[in-house]
Amino acid sequence: MSSAPSALKPEQKQTSNADVVPLPKSAKPAAPLRPAKDTTLLDRLKKSGLDPQRLLDLTLPGSTGKVSPKKRHRAIIAGFFLAVLLPSIAFTAYMFFWASDQFHSVTAFAVRSAQSTPASDVLGLMFSSGSESTSSNSYIVNDYLQSQAVVEDIDDQTNLEKVFNRNDADWLFRMGTELPIEEKLSYWNSMVDVSYDATSGVIHVEVRSFDRQDSVDIARAILLRSEVLVNKLSEANRQQSVKFAEQSVAKAEARLKAIRKQMLDYRQETQEISPKENAKLTMEMIAGLEEEVIKRETERSTLLSYLDQDSPRIRIITEQISALRAQIANERQRLGSGTNANSSDRTSISFRIADYSELALEEEFAQALFTTSLAGLEQARKDADSKHLYLATFIQPTLSDSAQYPQRFIYSLAVFLLLSGLWIVSILMYYNIRDRT
C-alpha cells in the first residue's frame, strides 16, 4: 500500500474506517443551530426576583419600544414639580400674602328650665323629665343653628351677602353674590361653628367674618333667634301639657250640663222636685191615717159595749173607718202597685224614685268629675309654668382684637399633602399598568 497518498487534501475528511469522503467546494458552512429556550433558567430568574424582560431591556435598549429609566425618572420628577410643588407654592403664597384676615366672636348659652330639682335628689336630677325636655330642646336649638331656617331668619335681620362680601374680603373665602339657599347654607356652616356638649348642655357658637364688629353682630343675632325659638318651644310645651287637661274639663262640663238638662226635663214632667220627698210625705200621711183608723176602731169597740151595732153612731164610725182605709189604700197605690217590678205602670212613686236616683247619681258623678278636671287643669297650668324654658347666656359675644383665621400654615400643609397623595397614587397606578402590559 505504498502508492496510497500520505496526506489528505483539505477538501477531504477522514472517517473512523479510514475512508476518504470528498466534500463539494461550493457548499457553505451550515449556520449554527439556535439553542432551545431554557425554561429552567427563566424559572430560576423569576424565583430570584429578576424580570427576564427587564434584563433584555437593559442589555438591548434599542430593541424595545419602552422608555428608558432616565427619561421615566425625569418625567416623574417633572410631574412632581408641576403637579405638586408649583401649586403648593402658589397656594401658600396666596394664603400668606393675599388671603384676608378673619376675626372671630365666641358665645355660649344653654337651654334651662325654671322647674327646680332638689339638690339631694340625685336620681331625680339624673332621670327627671325636666332634664330630658331640656336636653331634647337643646338638640333642637343646635340643629336649628345649622339649618336653612336660621340663614333665612338672620338674612332678614342682617344682610349676609353684604357682611361676607366686603371689599377687603379675598376671592377664595368670600361668599359670592346671588347664591341659592343651599350654597348660602354651606357657606354659613363653614363660617359659623356650632357644637353641643351633651354632658353640660352648653351650646358653643363661634362666628368668623372679615370685620370684628360683623362677627359680634352675627353672634348677637344668633342669640336673639335662639331665644325666640326657645320661647316658642316653651309655649308649645305649655300648650301641649295644658291642652289635655282643658279637653278633660270641657268633656266633664258637657256631661254635667247634659245630666242637668235630663234632671230638668224629669222635674218638668213629674211636677215634683224630688220623689223622695213626696214618698216621705206620703208615708207620713199613711201613718197618720192608720193612727186615725186605730182611734176610730177603739172608739167603735167602746161604743159597742153599750150600743147596738145598727145604731146610727156605730154606723157612722164604721163608715169613717172604711173611708180611712180606702184613703190608705190609695196612698199606698201611689207608692207602688203592690206587684213585681215588671209592671208597666211607671207612674208610681217607686219608679219615679228609681229614675230620679239614677239621674241624681249620674249628676253627682258628673259633678265630681268636673271638679276633679278643674283641679287637674289648675295643676297642669302650675306644672307648665314651673317647666318654663329660658335661654341662659353665660358668655356674651366676644370682640376679637387680632385675626385668628384663616389658619394659613395648616391650609398650606393640607394642600401640599393632598397633592402629594394624588401624585403618589398616580405614580403607583402608572407602574401597576406598566407591569401588567
Side-chain angles (χ1 to χ4, degrees):
M1 303 297 295
S2 60
S3 61
S6 59
L8 296 176
K9 295 181 179 180
E11 294 85 359
Q12 297 176 346
K13 183 179 181 182
Q14 186 176 0
T15 60
S16 59
N17 56 3
D19 294 335
V20 178
V21 180
L23 297 174
K25 294 182 179 181
S26 62
K28 295 181 180 180
L33 296 176
R34 188 175 183 179
K37 188 176 182 181
D38 190 359
T39 58
T40 305
L41 179 60
L42 293 177
D43 292 339
R44 281 185 288 175
L45 288 174
K46 290 181 178 180
K47 288 181 180 180
S48 61
L50 298 177
D51 189 0
Q53 185 64 40
R54 184 173 180 81
L55 294 176
L56 290 176
D57 293 342
L58 293 175
T59 55
L60 300 173
S63 60
T64 61
K66 297 184 178 180
V67 183
S68 63
K70 291 184 179 180
K71 293 182 179 180
R72 187 165 57 250
H73 293 165
R74 291 173 183 172
I76 292 174
I77 294 174
F80 177 80
F81 182 78
L82 294 175
V84 179
L85 197 57
L86 281 181
S88 299
I89 293 174
F91 184 79
T92 303
Y94 180 85
M95 291 300 299
F96 280 91
F97 296 102
W98 284 282
S100 302
D101 293 335
Q102 298 178 13
F103 302 90
H104 75 291
S105 178
V106 178
T107 183
F109 56 88
V111 180
R112 291 290 181 260
S113 175
Q115 182 180 11
S116 60
T117 302
S120 59
D121 190 3
V122 180
L123 293 178
L125 180 63
M126 295 176 61
F127 301 105
S128 63
S129 59
S131 62
E132 293 177 359
S133 176
T134 302
S135 177
S136 61
N137 290 322
S138 298
Y139 277 110
I140 292 175
V141 174
N142 178 69
D143 294 341
Y144 167 75
L145 295 180
Q146 303 178 58
S147 66
Q148 177 178 335
V150 70
V151 177
E152 295 175 348
D153 294 340
I154 293 183
D155 198 12
D156 296 337
Q157 181 179 356
T158 304
N159 192 349
L160 294 180
E161 290 189 0
K162 181 180 178 181
V163 170
F164 292 114
N165 290 318
R166 293 194 173 276
N167 296 329
D168 53 352
D170 63 287
W171 171 82
L172 182 61
F173 291 99
R174 69 189 310 165
M175 183 179 190
T177 58
E178 298 181 358
L179 295 178
I181 189 61
E182 291 79 11
E183 295 186 12
K184 280 187 177 181
L185 177 60
S186 178
Y187 184 84
W188 170 267
N189 289 327
S190 66
M191 300 296 287
V192 178
D193 295 331
V194 182
S195 61
Y196 172 63
D197 187 1
T199 304
S200 61
V202 177
I203 300 176
H204 295 270
V205 179
E206 183 181 12
V207 182
R208 299 190 301 273
S209 68
F210 304 102
D211 183 79
R212 39 177 73 90
Q213 188 60 41
D214 288 341
S215 299
V216 175
D217 293 341
I218 294 176
R220 289 175 179 172
I222 289 175
L223 284 178
L224 179 61
R225 299 310 307 176
S226 300
E227 186 175 2
V228 171
L229 177 61
V230 169
N231 291 335
K232 289 182 179 179
L233 293 175
S234 178
E235 183 63 23
N237 292 335
R238 182 181 181 278
Q239 291 179 358
Q240 185 176 5
S241 60
V242 175
K243 182 178 180 181
F244 179 75
E246 290 178 346
Q247 291 178 352
S248 299
V249 171
K251 291 180 180 178
E253 184 180 3
R255 181 174 181 178
L256 180 60
K257 288 181 178 179
I259 296 300
R260 287 179 175 176
K261 180 65 169 55
Q262 293 179 7
M263 184 69 74
L264 177 62
D265 294 339
Y266 172 83
R267 288 170 177 170
Q268 288 285 347
E269 181 180 356
T270 59
Q271 296 181 350
E272 58 185 0
I273 301 300
S274 174
K276 292 182 179 180
E277 296 295 331
N278 290 342
K280 185 178 180 181
L281 293 175
T282 302
M283 293 300 297
E284 292 177 355
M285 185 180 298
I286 291 174
L289 292 174
E290 289 179 348
E291 184 179 357
E292 186 68 23
V293 169
I294 293 173
K295 289 181 180 181
R296 296 294 181 183
E297 288 180 348
T298 304
E299 183 180 0
R300 188 180 63 175
S301 298
T302 304
L303 292 175
L304 285 174
S305 61
Y306 60 87
L307 292 177
D308 188 13
Q309 187 174 3
D310 294 332
S311 64
R313 191 172 180 182
I314 296 297
R315 290 199 301 269
I316 292 172
I317 293 175
T318 301
E319 290 177 359
Q320 288 178 352
I321 292 174
S322 299
L324 290 173
R325 287 179 177 175
Q327 189 176 358
I328 291 173
N330 291 332
E331 295 297 332
R332 290 187 180 275
Q333 188 69 29
R334 288 180 56 196
L335 291 177
S337 61
T339 59
N340 55 16
N342 295 325
S343 176
S344 58
D345 185 13
R346 302 188 62 87
T347 60
S348 62
I349 296 178
S350 299
F351 282 105
R352 296 204 305 271
I353 289 176
D355 296 338
Y356 179 82
S357 298
E358 292 181 359
L359 291 175
L361 181 61
E362 291 184 5
E363 183 182 13
E364 183 179 358
F365 180 77
Q367 180 67 40
L369 181 61
F370 179 69
T371 304
T372 305
S373 300
L374 285 178
L377 177 60
E378 293 300 325
Q379 185 64 34
R381 288 174 177 173
K382 182 179 179 181
D383 294 340
D385 293 337
S386 64
K387 295 179 182 179
H388 177 70
L389 299 177
Y390 64 94
L391 195 70
T393 305
F394 53 90
I395 297 181
Q396 295 294 334
T398 59
L399 181 64
S400 179
D401 291 335
S402 61
Q404 301 294 328
Y405 297 94
Q407 298 175 342
R408 294 174 170 84
F409 177 76
I410 295 178
Y411 283 170
S412 301
L413 180 62
V415 170
F416 175 76
L417 294 178
L418 177 62
L419 294 177
S420 298
L422 294 176
W423 176 78
I424 291 173
V425 171
S426 301
I427 297 301
L428 293 178
M429 291 179 61
Y430 165 74
Y431 273 106
N432 188 16
I433 295 173
R434 177 181 175 277
D435 292 339
R436 291 180 180 274
T437 56

